[in-house]
Amino acid sequence: MYPINVKITKIIRETPSTRTFVFDRSFDEAIAGQFVMVWIRGVDEIPMTLSSKNSITVQKVGDATEKLFCLEEGAELGIRGPFGKGFTLPGKDEKILLIAGGVGAAPLAPLAEYAASTGVCMSTILGARNADELLFVDRFVSCGEMHLTTDDGSAHRCGFVTDILAETDVAAYDRIYTCGPEMMMKAIFGMLEKENALEKTEFSLHRYFKCGIGVCGACCMDKKGLRVCKDGPVFNGMELIDSEFGSYMRGPSGNKKQF
Amino acid sequence: MINITGIELKNPTILAAGIMGTTGASLVRVAKEGAGAVVTKSIGPEPKEGHKNPSMIDLGYGFLNAMGLPNPSYPDFKAELAIAKKDAGIPVIASIFGGTEEEFVNVARGLIDSKPDAFELNVSCPHALGYGASVGSNPDAVESITKAVCDAVDVPVWVKLTPNVTDIVTIGEAAQRGGADAVVAINTVKGMAIDINSGYPVLGNRFGGLSGRAVKPVALKCVYDLYTALDIPIIGVGGIYTWEDAIEMMMAGASAVQIGSAVHEGLNVFSSVASGIEEFVSKREYSDITDIIGIAHERL
């Protein structure tokens, strides 16, 4: 498909480093955790998870996102997607735990809202560097129980999402979903591996994408050769055992970059 | 079993260059899915990040791509090639590129310790300035580069040809004169797409190469013409999705086929094409798969 033309109808400043761009086009078929390729014409095209059926929530991290932050309401983008494998949606009698760090809250917020709409019982652990950077607090609070933590203690508990996870009875949950910085997810992976809970856990991963449609192989992970763009970006914890997850990723040339 | 340039393939399907070939692990995965051999991503003398995205789009009837030869360079790819060789259990062919004879030779020599079963020279990428088709549309350059690599290494050398020339046969003949053990035809066909909402060309590089179903008739004609003129084997590539496509390509003159874009529909394409070919050969009572190679030339 050619990129679909969308108009930005609203820009919401969520935190000092993140903004939500709302489109005039809703991707109703998208499952939480799936991504779209966002083409900032004349600059680059980058993968972004959908933070709702008609929005992306972006952190300024490089050239393309910087250009995106310069756009105003009424500007247009090209969108391809939704692509990839999203989260496994919970059954209505299940109890779920969401663990989000920083902008990792973006794909989890629509999952929380979907789950709440079907009556699923849920808890969220949301962490950020500081109080200003806590993302989508209201969206999660309206869906279920909430635990907040900030690295510097500027809001609620001082510490990391893993500190709260350590005090949580993971056996009480049927499914656990997480998205955030890879080192945060790696720590969660280690804790849940010890609890023999990986099978019910899903991780949303980030890698450098070129084609975005499962052909070129730029985003393949060691050692199984899993394509993050097509086999993921959401992976069951069991798929990540003995993988590069938490150790390194590859840049545009294919060279390894250690975390 | 099928023998191409002295290499034994368990079936005639080969992963095409540039597809899932950046890491050893992904090559091993494709091997486990049933490919008869795999070709790596094209590896060059220096690390290259490639072009800006969008670098590939699905047009429905084919794919348009301009990756821009992203690769980690041969010193960093040696370890990946070694992983593929160790665990794939099938032949691993190293695709290489350079801007000059010397660069091609340096890359080939640099990778030889990882023991690729053959080299495939990329003189056909349509969208990398100074590389690929910039070199491969000149018969003298193709001949001299092929000769230089053949003299430098003692494994088979395949040369992948571009269809973006007036006469692909003259380039195929140049590769053969240079000592190529086989030619691979074809690389992608130059093309572009324009976003009518903004007027921007869609690909980051503005133009690129067309692959997939749309190019099969072009590839068939190139393979057919090359078969008439050359004495060395031809490996057919371009729009192979099903076993029927593969049989058609072999009847035009291909000794084996490479599969690229079709992995988009599932990695099981290798096993399904291979078993379909086998079934066809036995049902039609050919004594061997090689009996069908080039038979379209006998039907006048």
Side-chain angles (χ1 to χ4, degrees), chain B residues 4-282:
Chain B
I4 307 275
T5 65
I7 305 167
E8 291 285 339
L9 273 61
K10 68 177 181 184
N11 71 60
T13 69
I14 304 170
L15 172 73
I19 313 290
M20 289 190 70
T22 308
T23 73
S26 60
L27 290 163
V28 171
R29 180 176 177 197
V30 174
K32 288 185 175 158
E33 290 282 352
V38 288
V39 183
T40 69
K41 180 96 189 122
S42 292
I43 302 301
E46 304 288 341
K48 262 172 85 75
E49 297 202 344
H51 301 312
K52 291 272 192 198
N53 282 345
S55 53
M56 185 165 192
I57 59 164
D58 182 353
L59 300 168
Y61 51 86
F63 292 88
L64 206 53
N65 93 81
M67 292 286 159
L69 295 171
N71 83 99
S73 77
Y74 67 88
D76 272 26
F77 190 70
K78 280 194 291 191
E80 302 295 339
L81 184 54
I83 289 167
K85 274 296 295 175
K86 181 171 148 286
D87 297 330
I90 56 169
V92 179
I93 293 99
S95 173
I96 61 172
F97 74 91
T100 62
E101 272 174 52
E102 194 186 5
E103 284 184 354
F104 268 97
V105 167
N106 287 345
V107 177
R109 285 200 172 127
L111 292 174
I112 200 75
D113 287 348
S114 300
K115 302 195 185 321
D117 293 275
F119 285 103
E120 181 180 289
L121 312 187
N122 179 350
V123 288
S124 42
C125 173
H127 48 73
L129 199 60
Y131 296 109
S134 309
V135 177
S137 46
N138 175 347
D140 294 339
V142 170
E143 181 177 346
S144 63
I145 287 167
T146 307
K147 185 169 189 314
V149 177
C150 287
D151 289 347
V153 296
D154 54 4
V155 295
V157 174
W158 302 356
V159 178
K160 186 166 180 179
L161 306 175
T162 174
N164 301 307
V165 288
T166 309
D167 178 18
I168 195 169
V169 171
T170 59
I171 311 293
E173 286 170 337
Q176 182 170 279
R177 280 197 305 277
D181 296 275
V183 292
V184 181
I186 53 173
N187 207 316
T188 53
V189 180
K190 275 188 186 179
M192 73 186 298
I194 294 168
D195 173 49
I196 61 167
N197 294 294
S198 62
Y200 273 93
V202 177
L203 292 175
N205 186 54
R206 305 174 70 80
F207 70 92
L210 181 67
S211 66
R213 289 190 172 92
V215 305
K216 195 182 76 173
V218 179
L220 273 174
K221 176 70 164 81
C222 289
V223 168
Y224 189 90
D225 290 350
L226 289 162
Y227 186 82
T228 306
L230 303 188
D231 302 318
I232 54 177
I234 301 147
I235 295 155
V237 50
I240 308 292
Y241 278 67
T242 64
W243 64 265
E244 291 96 331
D245 295 331
I247 297 287
E248 213 180 337
M249 191 65 95
M250 293 179 84
M251 286 183 166
S255 298
V257 296
Q258 292 189 350
I259 296 174
S261 303
V263 305
H264 182 257
E265 296 190 3
L267 288 168
N268 61 352
V269 62
F270 298 97
S271 57
S272 72
V273 170
S275 61
I277 294 171
E278 201 172 315
E279 209 169 299
F280 176 82
V281 168
S282 79

Side-chain angles (χ1 to χ4, degrees), chain A residues 1-5 37 39 41-47 63 76 80 208-211 213-218 220-227 230-231 250 252-256, chain B residues 18-23 25-26 29 47-60 63 67 70-72 76 80 193-195 197-198 200-202 260-261 263-264 267:
Chain A
M1 65 161 80
Y2 279 54
I4 295 165
N5 193 58
M37 295 297 287
W39 180 29
R41 293 172 178 119
V43 182
D44 207 345
E45 187 195 41
I46 50 173
D63 294 350
E76 294 178 341
R80 293 189 295 136
Y208 181 78
F209 289 177
K210 278 198 87 72
C211 79
I213 52 175
V215 178
C216 75
C220 279
M221 290 181 71
D222 290 342
K223 293 180 178 172
K224 293 180 188 160
L226 292 168
R227 296 163 295 181
K230 181 105 171 184
D231 303 309
R250 287 167 203 272
S253 70
N255 278 316
K256 286 181 189 173
Chain B
I19 313 290
M20 289 190 70
T22 308
T23 73
S26 60
R29 180 176 177 197
K48 262 172 85 75
E49 297 202 344
H51 301 312
K52 291 272 192 198
N53 282 345
S55 53
M56 185 165 192
I57 59 164
D58 182 353
L59 300 168
F63 292 88
M67 292 286 159
N71 83 99
D76 272 26
E80 302 295 339
I194 294 168
D195 173 49
N197 294 294
S198 62
Y200 273 93
V202 177
S261 303
V263 305
H264 182 257
L267 288 168

